[in-house]
Short mmCIF file of all heavy atoms in Angstrom, two decimals:
data_model
loop_
_atom_site.label_atom_id
_atom_site.label_comp_id
_atom_site.label_asym_id
_atom_site.label_seq_id
_atom_site.Cartn_x
_atom_site.Cartn_y
_atom_site.Cartn_z
N LEU A 339 45.76 -15.19 65.41
CA LEU A 339 47.08 -14.98 66.09
C LEU A 339 48.25 -15.02 65.15
O LEU A 339 48.30 -15.80 64.29
CB LEU A 339 47.24 -16.16 67.18
CG LEU A 339 48.53 -16.19 67.92
CD1 LEU A 339 48.60 -14.98 68.93
CD2 LEU A 339 48.58 -17.47 68.81
N LEU A 340 49.19 -14.03 65.33
CA LEU A 340 50.28 -13.94 64.35
C LEU A 340 51.58 -13.70 65.24
O LEU A 340 51.58 -13.27 66.32
CB LEU A 340 50.16 -12.64 63.50
CG LEU A 340 49.00 -12.48 62.61
CD1 LEU A 340 49.05 -11.11 61.95
CD2 LEU A 340 49.04 -13.62 61.53
N GLY A 341 52.70 -14.14 64.65
CA GLY A 341 53.98 -13.70 65.00
C GLY A 341 54.59 -12.86 63.95
O GLY A 341 53.78 -12.51 62.98
N ILE A 342 55.83 -12.37 64.01
CA ILE A 342 56.43 -11.62 62.99
C ILE A 342 57.96 -12.09 62.81
O ILE A 342 58.57 -12.38 63.78
CB ILE A 342 56.39 -10.10 63.35
CG1 ILE A 342 56.92 -9.22 62.23
CG2 ILE A 342 57.14 -9.84 64.69
CD1 ILE A 342 56.78 -7.74 62.47
N GLY A 343 58.30 -12.22 61.54
CA GLY A 343 59.69 -12.55 61.25
C GLY A 343 60.65 -11.39 61.40
O GLY A 343 60.15 -10.25 61.42
N ARG A 344 61.85 -11.65 61.42
CA ARG A 344 62.92 -10.62 61.59
C ARG A 344 62.83 -9.63 60.35
O ARG A 344 63.15 -8.55 60.45
CB ARG A 344 64.32 -11.19 61.62
CG ARG A 344 64.42 -12.00 62.90
CD ARG A 344 65.81 -12.58 63.10
NE ARG A 344 65.97 -13.44 64.25
CZ ARG A 344 67.19 -13.99 64.61
NH1 ARG A 344 68.20 -13.74 63.88
NH2 ARG A 344 67.21 -14.78 65.61
N ASN A 345 62.36 -10.17 59.20
CA ASN A 345 62.22 -9.33 58.07
C ASN A 345 60.85 -8.80 57.84
O ASN A 345 60.54 -8.18 56.86
CB ASN A 345 62.63 -10.14 56.77
CG ASN A 345 61.80 -11.28 56.51
OD1 ASN A 345 60.77 -11.51 57.21
ND2 ASN A 345 62.14 -12.07 55.47
N GLY A 346 60.01 -8.95 58.85
CA GLY A 346 58.72 -8.33 58.86
C GLY A 346 57.68 -9.22 58.24
O GLY A 346 56.49 -8.75 58.07
N HIS A 347 57.96 -10.50 57.94
CA HIS A 347 56.91 -11.30 57.35
C HIS A 347 55.86 -11.73 58.47
O HIS A 347 56.21 -11.85 59.61
CB HIS A 347 57.55 -12.56 56.69
CG HIS A 347 58.12 -13.59 57.57
ND1 HIS A 347 59.34 -14.07 57.47
CD2 HIS A 347 57.54 -14.39 58.55
CE1 HIS A 347 59.52 -15.05 58.31
NE2 HIS A 347 58.40 -15.27 58.99
N ILE A 348 54.63 -11.94 57.92
CA ILE A 348 53.57 -12.54 58.73
C ILE A 348 53.02 -13.71 57.94
O ILE A 348 52.87 -13.57 56.76
CB ILE A 348 52.43 -11.47 59.04
CG1 ILE A 348 52.07 -10.66 57.76
CG2 ILE A 348 52.82 -10.56 60.14
CD1 ILE A 348 50.86 -9.81 58.02
N GLY A 349 52.74 -14.78 58.67
CA GLY A 349 52.60 -16.04 57.96
C GLY A 349 53.93 -16.25 57.24
O GLY A 349 55.05 -16.09 57.76
N PHE A 350 53.90 -16.71 56.04
CA PHE A 350 55.13 -16.78 55.25
C PHE A 350 54.99 -15.79 54.07
O PHE A 350 55.58 -15.95 53.02
CB PHE A 350 55.33 -18.26 54.65
CG PHE A 350 56.03 -19.11 55.62
CD1 PHE A 350 55.55 -20.37 55.94
CD2 PHE A 350 57.31 -18.75 56.13
CE1 PHE A 350 56.19 -21.16 56.86
CE2 PHE A 350 58.01 -19.58 56.94
CZ PHE A 350 57.44 -20.78 57.36
N ASN A 351 54.46 -14.61 54.35
CA ASN A 351 54.23 -13.59 53.38
C ASN A 351 55.58 -12.73 53.57
O ASN A 351 55.72 -11.93 54.38
CB ASN A 351 52.96 -12.73 53.63
CG ASN A 351 51.80 -13.46 53.42
OD1 ASN A 351 51.40 -13.73 52.27
ND2 ASN A 351 51.21 -13.92 54.48
N GLU A 352 56.57 -12.99 52.59
CA GLU A 352 57.85 -12.35 52.66
C GLU A 352 57.87 -10.92 52.13
O GLU A 352 56.81 -10.51 51.50
CB GLU A 352 58.82 -13.19 51.86
CG GLU A 352 58.99 -14.67 52.33
CD GLU A 352 59.82 -14.76 53.56
OE1 GLU A 352 60.04 -13.82 54.37
OE2 GLU A 352 60.35 -15.93 53.76
N PRO A 353 58.83 -10.16 52.37
CA PRO A 353 58.90 -8.79 51.77
C PRO A 353 58.65 -8.78 50.33
O PRO A 353 59.16 -9.57 49.60
CB PRO A 353 60.29 -8.35 52.20
CG PRO A 353 60.69 -9.02 53.47
CD PRO A 353 60.07 -10.39 53.23
N GLY A 354 57.79 -7.73 49.88
CA GLY A 354 57.37 -7.69 48.51
C GLY A 354 55.98 -8.38 48.29
O GLY A 354 55.47 -8.29 47.12
N SER A 355 55.43 -8.98 49.29
CA SER A 355 54.19 -9.67 49.09
C SER A 355 53.08 -8.71 48.83
O SER A 355 53.02 -7.59 49.34
CB SER A 355 53.74 -10.52 50.41
OG SER A 355 54.78 -11.56 50.56
N ASP A 356 52.05 -9.06 48.02
CA ASP A 356 50.95 -8.39 47.68
C ASP A 356 49.99 -8.27 48.89
O ASP A 356 49.63 -9.27 49.48
CB ASP A 356 50.20 -9.07 46.53
CG ASP A 356 48.98 -8.21 45.90
OD1 ASP A 356 48.50 -7.34 46.67
OD2 ASP A 356 48.53 -8.60 44.84
N PHE A 357 49.47 -7.03 49.28
CA PHE A 357 48.63 -6.81 50.40
C PHE A 357 47.23 -7.38 50.11
O PHE A 357 46.50 -7.49 51.07
CB PHE A 357 48.60 -5.38 50.71
CG PHE A 357 49.73 -4.89 51.51
CD1 PHE A 357 49.86 -3.58 51.84
CD2 PHE A 357 50.82 -5.71 51.86
CE1 PHE A 357 50.93 -2.99 52.54
CE2 PHE A 357 51.90 -5.17 52.59
CZ PHE A 357 51.97 -3.85 52.89
N THR A 358 46.94 -7.72 48.93
CA THR A 358 45.61 -8.26 48.59
C THR A 358 45.66 -9.79 48.39
O THR A 358 44.59 -10.39 48.05
CB THR A 358 45.00 -7.63 47.39
OG1 THR A 358 45.79 -8.00 46.14
CG2 THR A 358 44.95 -6.15 47.51
N SER A 359 46.82 -10.43 48.65
CA SER A 359 46.94 -11.89 48.29
C SER A 359 46.07 -12.81 49.15
O SER A 359 45.75 -12.52 50.30
CB SER A 359 48.43 -12.23 48.43
OG SER A 359 48.85 -12.05 49.77
N ALA A 360 45.62 -13.88 48.58
CA ALA A 360 45.04 -15.03 49.16
C ALA A 360 45.98 -16.12 49.43
O ALA A 360 47.22 -15.82 49.36
CB ALA A 360 43.88 -15.48 48.34
N THR A 361 45.51 -17.36 49.82
CA THR A 361 46.49 -18.38 50.08
C THR A 361 47.32 -18.66 48.76
O THR A 361 46.84 -18.62 47.62
CB THR A 361 45.65 -19.63 50.36
OG1 THR A 361 44.81 -19.44 51.48
CG2 THR A 361 46.58 -20.83 50.74
N HIS A 362 48.65 -18.92 48.98
CA HIS A 362 49.54 -19.13 47.90
C HIS A 362 50.70 -19.96 48.35
O HIS A 362 51.02 -20.06 49.52
CB HIS A 362 49.99 -17.80 47.32
CG HIS A 362 50.62 -16.87 48.34
ND1 HIS A 362 49.95 -16.39 49.41
CD2 HIS A 362 51.87 -16.33 48.39
CE1 HIS A 362 50.76 -15.53 50.04
NE2 HIS A 362 51.93 -15.54 49.51
N LYS A 363 51.43 -20.44 47.36
CA LYS A 363 52.70 -21.21 47.57
C LYS A 363 53.80 -20.17 47.55
O LYS A 363 53.88 -19.36 46.59
CB LYS A 363 52.88 -22.26 46.54
CG LYS A 363 54.16 -23.07 46.72
CD LYS A 363 54.26 -24.18 45.68
CE LYS A 363 55.60 -24.93 45.73
NZ LYS A 363 55.71 -25.90 44.67
N VAL A 364 54.71 -20.18 48.56
CA VAL A 364 55.69 -19.16 48.74
C VAL A 364 57.13 -19.79 48.60
O VAL A 364 57.33 -20.76 49.21
CB VAL A 364 55.56 -18.51 50.09
CG1 VAL A 364 56.50 -17.35 50.30
CG2 VAL A 364 54.11 -18.01 50.39
N ALA A 365 57.97 -19.12 47.91
CA ALA A 365 59.42 -19.32 47.92
C ALA A 365 59.98 -18.64 49.14
O ALA A 365 59.97 -17.50 49.20
CB ALA A 365 60.06 -18.97 46.61
N LEU A 366 60.51 -19.45 50.08
CA LEU A 366 61.04 -18.83 51.23
C LEU A 366 62.36 -18.06 51.02
O LEU A 366 63.15 -18.56 50.23
CB LEU A 366 61.30 -19.84 52.39
CG LEU A 366 59.94 -20.60 52.75
CD1 LEU A 366 60.26 -21.66 53.84
CD2 LEU A 366 58.87 -19.68 53.15
N THR A 367 62.56 -16.94 51.62
CA THR A 367 63.87 -16.13 51.41
C THR A 367 64.95 -16.82 52.18
O THR A 367 64.82 -17.61 53.16
CB THR A 367 63.59 -14.76 51.94
OG1 THR A 367 63.46 -14.79 53.42
CG2 THR A 367 62.45 -14.04 51.30
N PRO A 368 66.15 -16.61 51.77
CA PRO A 368 67.39 -17.11 52.43
C PRO A 368 67.34 -16.79 53.92
O PRO A 368 67.77 -17.73 54.80
CB PRO A 368 68.52 -16.43 51.77
CG PRO A 368 67.96 -16.24 50.32
CD PRO A 368 66.54 -15.80 50.50
N SER A 369 66.90 -15.62 54.41
CA SER A 369 66.90 -15.27 55.82
C SER A 369 65.91 -16.19 56.55
O SER A 369 66.14 -16.57 57.80
CB SER A 369 66.58 -13.81 56.06
OG SER A 369 65.36 -13.47 55.66
N THR A 370 64.73 -16.31 55.99
CA THR A 370 63.75 -17.28 56.62
C THR A 370 64.22 -18.66 56.68
O THR A 370 64.06 -19.40 57.71
CB THR A 370 62.38 -17.19 55.91
OG1 THR A 370 61.97 -15.79 56.00
CG2 THR A 370 61.38 -18.12 56.51
N ILE A 371 64.82 -19.24 55.61
CA ILE A 371 65.33 -20.51 55.59
C ILE A 371 66.47 -20.75 56.71
O ILE A 371 66.57 -21.69 57.42
CB ILE A 371 65.94 -20.91 54.16
CG1 ILE A 371 64.81 -20.98 53.21
CG2 ILE A 371 66.71 -22.19 54.29
CD1 ILE A 371 65.31 -20.98 51.69
N ALA A 372 67.28 -19.72 56.74
CA ALA A 372 68.41 -19.70 57.76
C ALA A 372 67.81 -19.69 59.15
O ALA A 372 68.29 -20.43 60.10
CB ALA A 372 69.25 -18.56 57.60
N ALA A 373 66.72 -18.90 59.40
CA ALA A 373 66.08 -18.86 60.74
C ALA A 373 65.45 -20.14 61.17
O ALA A 373 65.44 -20.53 62.24
CB ALA A 373 65.11 -17.69 60.77
N ASN A 374 64.88 -20.85 60.12
CA ASN A 374 64.24 -22.16 60.44
C ASN A 374 65.19 -23.32 60.50
O ASN A 374 64.84 -24.39 60.97
CB ASN A 374 63.27 -22.36 59.25
CG ASN A 374 62.03 -21.47 59.24
OD1 ASN A 374 61.79 -20.81 60.24
ND2 ASN A 374 61.39 -21.37 58.03
N ALA A 375 66.42 -23.09 60.10
CA ALA A 375 67.40 -24.21 60.01
C ALA A 375 67.66 -24.85 61.39
O ALA A 375 68.01 -26.03 61.52
CB ALA A 375 68.73 -23.78 59.46
N ARG A 376 67.47 -24.04 62.46
CA ARG A 376 67.76 -24.60 63.84
C ARG A 376 66.82 -25.62 64.21
O ARG A 376 67.18 -26.46 65.16
CB ARG A 376 67.70 -23.40 64.85
CG ARG A 376 66.27 -22.81 65.12
CD ARG A 376 66.33 -21.60 65.94
NE ARG A 376 65.05 -21.15 66.37
CZ ARG A 376 64.30 -20.26 65.67
NH1 ARG A 376 64.78 -19.88 64.42
NH2 ARG A 376 63.19 -19.83 66.11
N PHE A 377 65.82 -25.85 63.56
CA PHE A 377 64.83 -26.85 63.88
C PHE A 377 65.08 -28.16 63.11
O PHE A 377 64.46 -29.15 63.36
CB PHE A 377 63.36 -26.48 63.53
CG PHE A 377 62.88 -25.17 64.26
CD1 PHE A 377 62.58 -23.96 63.55
CD2 PHE A 377 62.81 -25.13 65.64
CE1 PHE A 377 62.27 -22.83 64.22
CE2 PHE A 377 62.40 -24.08 66.29
CZ PHE A 377 62.15 -22.85 65.61
N PHE A 378 66.09 -28.17 62.22
CA PHE A 378 66.32 -29.35 61.37
C PHE A 378 67.70 -29.88 61.71
O PHE A 378 68.64 -29.12 62.09
CB PHE A 378 66.13 -28.98 59.93
CG PHE A 378 64.80 -28.69 59.53
CD1 PHE A 378 64.18 -27.45 59.66
CD2 PHE A 378 63.95 -29.69 58.99
CE1 PHE A 378 62.94 -27.15 59.36
CE2 PHE A 378 62.66 -29.38 58.58
CZ PHE A 378 62.10 -28.11 58.78
N LYS A 379 67.94 -31.20 61.48
CA LYS A 379 69.24 -31.79 61.62
C LYS A 379 70.34 -31.15 60.85
O LYS A 379 71.51 -31.02 61.24
CB LYS A 379 69.17 -33.30 61.47
CG LYS A 379 68.26 -33.98 62.59
CD LYS A 379 68.27 -35.48 62.36
CE LYS A 379 67.43 -36.13 63.42
NZ LYS A 379 67.33 -37.62 63.24
N ASN A 380 70.02 -30.89 59.58
CA ASN A 380 70.99 -30.15 58.76
C ASN A 380 70.20 -29.30 57.73
O ASN A 380 69.07 -29.44 57.52
CB ASN A 380 71.88 -31.17 57.97
CG ASN A 380 71.14 -31.97 56.92
OD1 ASN A 380 70.79 -31.31 55.87
ND2 ASN A 380 70.90 -33.22 57.05
N LYS A 381 70.93 -28.29 57.29
CA LYS A 381 70.31 -27.16 56.62
C LYS A 381 69.72 -27.64 55.21
O LYS A 381 68.73 -27.07 54.73
CB LYS A 381 71.33 -26.00 56.29
CG LYS A 381 72.46 -26.37 55.46
CD LYS A 381 73.45 -25.25 55.31
CE LYS A 381 74.62 -25.65 54.33
NZ LYS A 381 75.52 -24.52 54.19
N ASP A 382 70.15 -28.78 54.66
CA ASP A 382 69.65 -29.27 53.52
C ASP A 382 68.17 -29.82 53.58
O ASP A 382 67.55 -30.06 52.67
CB ASP A 382 70.51 -30.27 52.97
CG ASP A 382 71.89 -29.83 52.48
OD1 ASP A 382 71.93 -28.63 52.12
OD2 ASP A 382 72.82 -30.59 52.53
#
Side-chain angles (χ1 to χ4, degrees):
L339 180 63
L340 301 173
I342 184 172
R344 296 181 186 186
N345 62 3
H347 74 234
I348 48 176
F350 273 126
N351 296 285
E352 301 282 20
S355 295
D356 185 344
F357 283 177
T358 65
S359 59
T361 306
H362 55 298
K363 182 179 176 181
V364 184
L366 304 182
T367 64
S369 65
T370 297
I371 292 168
N374 292 340
R376 69 187 186 276
F377 301 116
F378 293 82
K379 290 181 180 178
N380 70 71
K381 63 182 181 180
D382 294 331

